[in-house]
Structure formats: structure tokens, C-alpha cells
Amino acid sequence: MKQVQFSCSLLLLMFATFYSCTNSATAPSPKASAPTSSKPLVPTLPDSPDSAPDDIGRILKKAKTFRVLTRLMKTTEIMSNINSQLMTAKSGGLTIFATDDNAFAQLKAGFLNSLNQGQKIELLQFHILPLYVSSSNFDSLSNPVQTMAGEDPTKLPLNVIAYGDSVNISTGVVNATLNGLVYSDTNLAVYHVNKVLLPLDFFVKAKAPALAPAPAPVEAKSPKADKKSSTEDQEDQVNSAALSLLSIQGTALMSIAVGFVAVAMI
């Protein structure tokens, strides 16, 4: 009887062990959580080119709304400089704030024509950052942001403020907003900005250096006044001589009269 009970217990133990191993083998393993990617602050525009060669002109042409910007880049040779940098300098990259034709049309009439060649180059360089900034990385920039136009914060300030789902840019003259991403690869990012980024340098007049006060002018005597003064001196001398002569004559007459009186008394 004891052997039968022992055999039954052994069978139950073997069955339980087999059932446990079967369940552990067939149970699905927990899925690994997919890594979360940072949300881009600037959305990709629907008509953005998927890929393009290292030619900023072709990128802007595919986007269709940057004709004025393309023409300025060609006439100032900024376009060829950008393409050369994209082909030779693969580290760091570039970020371009592209202003559309409508934004250029909002400028004061004749503004672009009033700029000389150097100012047009500075204006375009002010829209270019010498580093690649992804659409989710604007909040990591330190203000004022350096542009290709220079790094003088008093003349060329460019501040980027990223909050929520928007990116704003302030130059001290205008406040603009990034409307979307035109093109991006590992070396170049082109963003659509809704206004022309006018540098403060165009509107700040250089202060003239302070000058020492001029000495008070010395009044020069005219020759006529000198002649008059000389004539007056001569007249004074003549009058003085006449007075002296009269005094001498008066003294002599007085002496003669006294002589006559003395003789008469004798």
C-alpha cells in the first residue's frame, strides 16, 4: 500500500514539473520598449525635397518660393561659397534661414536696391549659421548665436528662442518665426523663415569722435584802424609840443614883465 502511495506521489511530482517547464518555454517574452526620439520643434514642409546634391541653388529651386533669395545668392557669389563649403568642410555643417519671396516683398520699397554689394553679402551671411542645427536642437543654442556675418553682439545680434512647438528669431530690428524645414541631411539644414532677418548694423549710425573745443578766435585789427591809431598818436604828440611851447612862452613873458616893474621902481 505504501509503495502504491509513493508511486502516485512520484507521478504527480513528475507531471507538475513537466507542466511547469512547458509553460515557461511557451510563454512569450516581454517586448523591449522602443527608444523615444525627441520631437522636432520645426515641422517638415510638405513640398520639401527628399534629397538633393550639395547645391543650395537646386534645393531652393525645388522649394519654388525662394526666387529673390536665389538671385541674391547668385549675384553676390554666396551660393558658390556655400556649395564649396558643403563639398569640402564635412564637419560642423551649415544652417540656412531661407526667406521666401513674400517676405522680401514686405520690405520697404527700394530697400534692396539701396544696399551696396558689401551690405547685400552681410545680409545673406546674417541668415547662415556656421553649424548644423537639427529641427529638434534649437533649444540647445546659446544666445546671441553667431552667424557667418560676424559675432559682434552690439551690431549683429541674433537670438533664437525655442519654446513649445515654435522657434522665434530676434535681430533687434525684426522678430521672425520659422515656418518649417525645407531640407535637411547630415550636413545641411534649410529652414523657411517668415521675415527677412535685418541686422541691427544697418540701422545704427556710428558715433562721431568727440572733438576738443576750438580756441576763441582772436580779433585782428584792420590796417585802417592801425592807421587811425597812428594818426591819433601823432596828433597827441603835436598837441603836447604846442602846450610845452606855450608854457615856455608864458614863462618868458612873465619874466620880462617882472623886469619892467623892477626898473620902474628904481
Side-chain angles (χ1 to χ4, degrees):
M1 185 67 180
K2 292 181 178 180
Q3 291 181 350
V4 173
Q5 292 178 349
F6 177 75
S7 298
C8 290
S9 299
L10 183 60
L11 287 173
L12 290 173
L13 180 61
M14 293 176 61
F15 179 77
T17 303
F18 175 76
Y19 181 77
S20 176
C21 293
T22 303
N23 285 343
S24 62
T26 57
S29 60
K31 294 182 180 180
S33 59
T36 59
S37 58
S38 56
K39 182 181 178 181
L41 298 175
V42 182
T44 302
L45 297 177
D47 55 349
S48 301
D50 296 330
S51 61
D54 293 334
D55 189 334
I56 185 62
R58 295 185 63 178
I59 293 173
L60 295 177
K61 184 178 180 180
K62 286 186 177 182
K64 300 177 182 180
T65 58
F66 303 101
R67 294 180 179 86
V68 177
L69 178 62
T70 302
R71 184 174 69 250
L72 282 174
M73 284 187 168
K74 287 181 178 179
T75 57
T76 56
E77 299 184 359
I78 291 291
M79 183 174 293
S80 59
N81 292 338
I82 292 175
N83 292 335
S84 298
Q85 286 186 262
L86 293 175
M87 289 186 294
T88 57
K90 294 299 181 182
S91 61
L94 294 173
T95 299
I96 299 176
F97 299 127
T99 307
D100 62 15
D101 298 335
N102 182 60
F104 276 107
Q106 300 303 317
L107 292 175
K108 184 179 179 180
F111 175 78
L112 287 179
N113 293 332
S114 68
L115 302 178
N116 57 38
Q117 189 75 349
Q119 289 174 322
K120 290 178 181 179
I121 292 175
E122 180 179 317
L123 177 64
L124 294 176
Q125 289 177 334
F126 194 59
H127 289 69
I128 306 172
L129 305 185
L131 73 162
Y132 172 79
V133 182
S134 67
S135 59
S136 59
N137 204 33
F138 278 100
D139 53 358
S140 67
L141 295 176
S142 298
N143 291 317
V145 180
Q146 180 181 351
T147 68
M148 297 292 287
E151 55 181 349
D152 188 344
T154 61
K155 295 182 179 180
L156 301 166
L158 184 76
N159 296 300
V160 178
I161 302 100
Y163 60 92
D165 295 333
S166 64
V167 177
N168 293 341
I169 300 176
S170 174
T171 70
V173 179
V174 297
N175 295 315
T177 302
L178 297 188
N179 287 345
L181 177 65
V182 178
Y183 173 80
S184 180
D185 56 26
T186 58
N187 197 44
L188 173 66
V190 182
Y191 296 96
H192 177 200
V193 64
N194 68 338
K195 292 182 181 180
V196 179
L197 303 179
L198 299 174
L200 186 63
D201 187 30
F202 284 4
F203 303 92
V204 176
K205 295 182 179 180
K207 294 183 179 180
L211 299 177
V218 179
E219 296 183 359
K221 295 182 179 180
S222 62
K224 184 176 181 180
D226 292 341
K227 184 177 180 180
K228 181 179 179 181
S229 177
S230 178
T231 303
E232 291 176 352
D233 291 343
Q234 291 177 357
E235 290 178 353
D236 291 341
Q237 292 176 0
V238 170
N239 292 335
S240 178
L243 290 174
S244 298
L245 180 60
L246 289 174
S247 177
I248 294 172
Q249 291 176 350
T251 303
L253 290 175
M254 182 66 68
S255 299
I256 294 172
V258 171
F260 280 120
V261 171
V263 170
M265 289 177 66
I266 293 173

